[in-house]
Each structure stands twice: as C-alpha cells, then as structure tokens.
Amino acid sequence: MEYQHASEINGVVTEYRNIKSKHNCFCKAEKDSKETVDESKLSHIEKAYTTILSELGEDVERQGLLRTPLRAAKAMQFFTKGYKETSQDILNDAIFDENHEEMVTVKDIDLFSLCEHHLVPFFGKERLTKQIASAISEALEPVGVAVVIEATHMCMVMRGVQKMNATTLTSVMLGQFQNDPKTRKEFLALTLN
C-alpha cells in the first residue's frame, strides 16, 4: 500500500510518501497503543512535524524517519491530553466522606509534561502547582491545601543554563496552610525533609 501527500505551508511545498514494506510496517506497540488520538487533528500535526524535520535538513524518506512525524504527532496529542481532562475525569468518583481533621500528606508523586516555552519535557511546573492545589481544594473542600513541587526542566538541563542538577521548587498554600504559620511549618517539615 502506498500513499503520497503534498502540503503547502508558507509557500513551501512539502511532499512525503509512505510505502508499506517489511521495513516500514506498523509496530505492534503503535497498533495496540491506547493513546488518546484526535484523528481530525492528527494529520495536520503529522504534516507539521514533516515540515519541521525537512526544514532541519533531515531526509524524511529515510528508513529511520518514515513514521516519525506520525509517532511524534501521536506523542504530542498524548502529552497534551490533560488540557481536555477535568478533575472529575481523573478522580472518577473516588472521593469518600470521612470525619478526619488531621493533616494528610502524600509525597513523591511523579509527574511530567511539556514546558510551554520550549515544548521539551519537564518533571513538575510552577503553574501546575497552583492548578493541582486548586483542583484538590475544589474537589475535596478541605480547610486547607498545600502543594510543593520540585521540578527538573529539561530546557534548563539541555539548553539555556545547561546545568544537569538544576531544579525549581514551587509551593502553593491555600486556606489554613496559608493563614496559620504553625500548620504551614508542620507541613513543610514533613515534606521537605
């Protein structure tokens, strides 16, 4: 099976084709992927990646890159799927009424996303810290919420300052954690040690 496609972006015509062969078959992982795919936008994102690779001087028809624009497009849709999710989607009705007045601390939760400035991976983010705190406060309605994220931004590691161990620490305190210095101090002692 062969298909050919040409697109024009800013006056530059980009043409690519895909020929199914024993070297260019769908990988099982790609077929069985449960990634969220918005088919209506996927081809546009794939074309954009083809253009980017071509403009960087890559031969998009060489064996190693034949399906890279499609894989990158699917990956980008997966990486940004959180924009379409709500806290209710994530919580899935897993909230239970408890008569509990003590502090609950959950630590060492891994998270990742893309830096909005460079579109490279990061592990934690400043705006995300506030979004998490607000979502917890809205969903659980506790007397207070505190969130601390230690982030490793690959844009600082791979480019920019190029420091391998550079991290960013952000915190958001709401309710009692913001208003009561004793509660805040207890939380920070539990989480930052």
Side-chain angles (χ1 to χ4, degrees):
M1 170 186 246
E2 178 178 329
Y3 72 85
Q4 190 165 349
H5 177 80
S7 64
E8 183 176 341
I9 298 175
N10 293 331
V12 177
V13 176
T14 304
E15 184 175 27
Y16 66 97
R17 67 174 182 229
N18 188 8
I19 301 170
K20 188 173 181 184
S21 70
K22 64 180 180 179
H23 300 293
N24 186 22
C25 62
F26 287 99
C27 296
K28 181 168 176 46
E30 287 179 16
K31 280 184 183 177
D32 297 339
S33 174
K34 293 182 180 179
E35 297 173 357
T36 303
V37 175
D38 183 345
E39 294 293 337
S40 65
K41 296 180 181 176
L42 186 63
S43 66
H44 295 292
I45 300 169
E46 179 183 7
K47 292 171 199 172
Y49 274 111
T50 300
T51 300
I52 291 168
L53 289 169
S54 294
E55 292 300 315
L56 291 172
E58 285 288 347
D59 175 6
V60 295
E61 293 188 26
R62 73 175 170 84
Q63 185 177 355
L65 289 180
L66 285 175
R67 296 191 47 77
T68 296
L70 177 60
R71 285 190 295 269
K74 286 181 178 180
M76 186 58 72
Q77 284 188 336
F78 179 78
F79 295 153
T80 60
K81 72 182 177 108
Y83 290 126
K84 298 178 186 104
E85 293 177 328
T86 67
S87 55
Q88 278 67 35
D89 295 334
I90 295 165
L91 293 171
N92 197 22
D93 294 327
I95 298 174
F96 310 99
D97 290 329
E98 293 290 330
N99 186 15
H100 188 76
E101 294 183 11
E102 290 75 27
M103 184 183 305
V104 176
T105 305
V106 181
K107 292 176 62 170
D108 302 326
I109 299 172
D110 295 328
L111 59 107
F112 64 89
S113 189
L114 296 176
C115 164
E116 67 184 356
H117 304 111
H118 304 99
L119 297 179
V120 294
F122 72 86
F123 306 91
K125 187 177 182 180
E126 294 79 8
R127 184 176 301 161
L128 189 58
T129 309
K130 184 163 184 126
Q131 291 170 339
I132 291 170
S134 296
I136 291 170
S137 184
E138 180 183 310
L140 301 179
E141 299 177 358
V143 294
V145 174
V147 176
V148 175
I149 294 181
E150 182 174 5
T152 299
H153 292 252
M154 297 308 290
C155 58
M156 292 173 57
V157 173
M158 297 173 63
R159 59 174 308 281
V161 296
Q162 296 180 346
K163 300 297 179 193
M164 293 300 292
N165 296 314
T167 60
T168 304
L169 190 66
T170 59
S171 67
V172 172
M173 308 287 172
L174 302 175
Q176 190 166 347
F177 290 96
Q178 184 178 38
N179 301 328
D180 183 356
K182 184 178 173 187
T183 303
R184 183 172 47 252
K185 183 177 179 179
E186 178 186 353
F187 170 76
L188 293 173
L190 289 170
T191 58
L192 298 179
N193 291 334

